[in-house]
Amino acid sequence: MVNAKGQSLEPQQTHLLKPKTRKGKRFLEKRGPKLVEDAKRALFLYGNDTSKTVKEVLTDLHKIKGTDAHSFSRKNPDVKPFESGGEAPLEFFCNKSNCSLFVLGSHSKKRPHNITLGRLYDFHLFDALELGIESHRPISSFRGAGTAQVGNKPAILFAGERFDSEPDFKLAKSMLLDMFRGQQVEQVNLAGLDRVLVAYAAGTSERSLLLRQYKIAFKKSGTKVPKVSLTEMGPSIDCVLRRSRLPAVDLEKEALKQPKLTKKKEKNIGSDLLKGRVGRIYMPQQTVDKMALAKPKGLKRERREAAAEKKAAKQNAGSGSGGGGAAEGQQQQQQQQAKRQRRAAAAAAGGGE
């Protein structure tokens, strides 16, 4: 068993087994979940008792499935999908063979010529459907009809309103699509479309299901659209729906869950109708004054003018302060001269007496 991350879990094991080699890692990645799944493999095996009709039906279904099929030749009496505990050996075999689909053939007095179709999710039984074979005409009896080329995808057609209304027929439609659709592709070459599988919701009873396969031949029609002719190539299987095992609601919801394909949200990015894509970035605080930047010539001229103005202001301030000192010196000289004159006048007055 493989978890969502592609890591291996063995049965009855609680811890993860990490790959020790690159080859083991690639092996687990192939088995892990993918956005676009590979073609589902199917396991064909026998129950406790089988019949000739059951073996022929399994052989024909194995041929239709092609290379995405794996078969067991021995009997498996413990495999019983509709009984409690009977699905454990089946899950083990599917896990070993890397198969998510299985076709089990059995035969008993109560349910003669019984075919069980089933699917697994995470290598655990998901759902199952029993088909009782009423008549069968194998591929080997259709001589001259031709064979399908290996690897070509068949066209699948469902005829009948029961496939859209009744639960068991809906389950049969889903299983047949998973069984025979092969690899998912976006385009199909018209030359490779060589057969068509048709399922009819008709027959002798209300639960009858008819399976047919036709060979497609394209013939000239005189126009661009070729004329299509169908020739039955086998197998021709008439069966009836028997028991069914539907999945739980929560398990079905989990199995149908798909990952979101949207991109991760980008931080600090928005959109504007005028500017388009707008982003916001973080810029740390910058000290432009201390940064060694290239200074243009215009700034140099401004610095020279500022320096000249500063120098002129200093000169004006210096000249103003020097004029004030000269006036004070002249006033002191006048005071000293007035003192000398008074002294001389006093001396003259003393001499006249």
Side-chain angles (χ1 to χ4, degrees), residues 12-275:
Q12 298 180 359
Q13 184 176 353
T14 57
H15 64 280
L16 297 175
L17 288 178
K18 295 183 179 180
K20 297 181 180 179
T21 60
R22 294 183 179 179
K23 184 178 180 181
K25 184 178 180 180
R26 291 194 299 267
F27 176 77
L28 294 179
E29 287 178 353
K30 289 182 180 180
R31 285 199 172 189
K34 301 176 182 178
L35 187 60
V36 179
E37 295 183 353
D38 299 332
K40 296 184 178 181
R41 291 171 51 85
L43 177 64
F44 292 81
L45 69 166
Y46 301 110
N48 188 15
D49 294 325
T50 56
S51 62
K52 182 180 178 181
T53 303
V54 170
K55 291 183 179 180
E56 291 178 352
V57 171
L58 289 184
T59 302
D60 290 345
L61 293 179
H62 190 279
K63 290 180 180 179
I64 297 175
K65 183 62 177 174
T67 57
D68 298 321
H70 187 72
S71 61
F72 288 171
S73 58
R74 296 183 179 181
K75 296 181 179 180
N76 302 278
D78 297 333
V79 177
K80 298 177 181 179
F82 289 92
E83 296 183 7
S84 178
E87 68 274 4
L90 180 63
E91 294 172 356
F92 176 78
F93 292 147
C94 291
N95 187 14
K96 283 291 185 181
S97 305
N98 191 22
C99 296
S100 58
L101 304 171
F102 70 90
V103 182
L104 176 65
S106 61
H107 176 72
S108 63
K109 184 177 180 181
K110 187 176 182 180
R111 297 182 181 86
H113 311 303
N114 196 58
I115 299 293
T116 304
L117 305 178
R119 294 179 291 190
L120 289 89
Y121 171 69
D122 197 16
F123 294 110
H124 292 284
L125 185 61
F126 183 70
D127 54 7
L129 177 67
E130 279 187 348
L131 302 176
I133 306 300
E134 293 182 344
S135 64
H136 171 248
R137 187 180 174 189
I139 297 178
S140 58
S141 63
F142 291 87
R143 299 185 180 276
T147 59
Q149 187 176 356
V150 178
N152 289 354
K153 290 173 63 66
I156 304 176
L157 175 64
F158 295 91
E161 59 181 8
R162 297 176 187 172
F163 289 110
D164 298 327
S165 59
E166 298 185 12
D168 288 346
F169 279 91
K170 287 183 179 180
L171 180 61
K173 178 181 178 180
S174 179
M175 285 190 177
L176 292 175
L177 282 174
D178 281 348
M179 182 70 68
F180 300 115
R181 70 179 178 180
Q183 182 70 33
Q184 298 184 26
V185 294
E186 296 181 356
Q187 296 178 354
V188 178
N189 188 3
L190 187 61
L193 192 63
D194 56 356
R195 57 197 171 107
V196 55
L197 292 172
V198 185
Y200 300 95
T204 57
S205 64
E206 295 182 353
R207 297 180 62 83
S208 296
L209 179 65
L210 310 180
L211 298 177
R212 302 289 187 269
Q213 184 175 213
Y214 298 95
K215 177 74 174 179
I216 299 177
F218 298 101
K219 299 181 179 180
K220 296 182 179 180
S221 62
T223 61
K224 293 182 179 180
V225 180
K227 182 181 178 180
V228 180
S229 64
L230 300 179
T231 305
E232 190 172 1
M233 58 181 297
S236 175
I237 303 174
D238 296 348
C239 55
V240 61
L241 302 183
R242 290 176 179 170
R243 292 184 297 177
S244 63
R245 175 174 174 173
L246 299 176
V249 178
D250 55 347
L251 182 61
E252 184 178 9
K253 184 177 180 180
E254 183 181 357
L256 297 178
K257 188 184 298 183
Q258 294 183 354
K260 295 182 180 180
L261 301 180
T262 56
K263 296 182 179 179
K264 293 183 179 180
K265 185 179 180 181
E266 297 178 341
K267 295 182 179 180
N268 301 326
I269 294 179
S271 59
D272 192 356
L273 294 177
L274 298 178
K275 299 180 181 179

Side-chain angles (χ1 to χ4, degrees), residues 291-303:
M291 295 178 64
L293 301 177
K295 298 177 177 60
K297 294 182 178 180
L299 296 178
K300 294 180 179 179
R301 183 173 61 253
E302 293 177 358
R303 289 200 303 273

